[in-house]
Amino acid sequence: MRVASTVGSFVANLPEMLGAMVVDPRCLIAVVEFHDARYVQYWVEANGAVIAEVVSNINIGDAVALSADDERKLRSAGWSEPSLGPTPNWRYEADDVAGLLRVVAMSREAVYDVLGERDANPVSVRIWEGRTVERSRDDVPEPPCVHDHVTLRDFERRLFED
């Protein structure tokens, strides 16, 4: 599903969106892309664990890079540093209600204070069902994450072709 909206509407509805994703028994992925191709994304496991990500300079492509001050703000807010490999974006994981509330607050701050979005700016929200593999946390060092726009589109095509 793809929905065109505004940043203000997305941020206002983020608690409801994530809450609905958490109680859904499926693994769900939401990618929120802003007019400048930067994005935030959410991977919600079937067990309700939430992985929130903000695009990083490792994964930013042709979009406007984050400044050193932007990165400092993300670090101060509690986002984990990106790294090459399976976690190329700024990341925060939550597995309880308090963590989910923190994801909402951290996301708002990232959208407005780091990415510089304004309420009237356009935004595209895509949500789809992911596939999970039954493994323990010890078997998989990091949950799968969505890395870039080309991969997202390829993944989405494969998901709906099956």
Side-chain angles (χ1 to χ4, degrees), residues 30 51 54 92 107-108 136 155:
I51 301 162
V54 177
Y92 183 79
S107 294
R108 285 181 177 148
S136 73
F155 177 75

Side-chain angles (χ1 to χ4, degrees), residues 46-125:
N47 67 4
V50 177
I51 301 162
E53 294 185 342
V54 177
V55 67
S56 78
N57 288 344
I58 293 173
N59 217 17
I60 206 151
D62 295 331
V64 176
L66 300 174
S67 69
D69 189 49
D70 293 334
E71 291 179 327
R72 182 195 55 74
K73 288 177 185 176
L74 290 169
R75 196 175 297 109
S76 295
W79 295 94
S80 296
E81 298 261 352
S83 63
L84 294 175
T87 58
N89 289 319
W90 291 89
R91 177 182 185 99
Y92 183 79
E93 295 185 34
D95 60 6
D96 60 15
V97 174
L100 182 62
L101 293 174
R102 187 157 184 219
V103 165
V104 170
M106 290 169 64
S107 294
R108 285 181 177 148
E109 184 177 338
V111 167
Y112 289 123
D113 297 338
V114 175
L115 300 178
E117 294 295 328
R118 299 294 170 248
D119 283 338
N121 290 356
V123 68
S124 171
V125 180

Side-chain angles (χ1 to χ4, degrees), residues 1-6 9 31-33 123-127:
M1 169 176 73
R2 180 188 299 262
V3 176
S5 188
T6 64
S9 180
V31 176
V32 182
E33 188 172 3
V123 68
S124 171
V125 180
R126 291 179 287 154
I127 301 174

Side-chain angles (χ1 to χ4, degrees), residues 32-48:
V32 182
E33 188 172 3
F34 304 103
H35 69 286
D36 61 2
R38 297 191 295 178
Y39 59 91
V40 294
Q41 60 191 20
Y42 307 91
W43 178 287
V44 181
E45 293 286 340
N47 67 4

Side-chain angles (χ1 to χ4, degrees), residues 25 27 45-47 131-137 139-140:
C27 173
E45 293 286 340
N47 67 4
R131 294 189 182 141
T132 57
V133 177
E134 292 299 321
R135 296 182 182 167
S136 73
R137 280 290 261 191
D139 294 338
V140 182

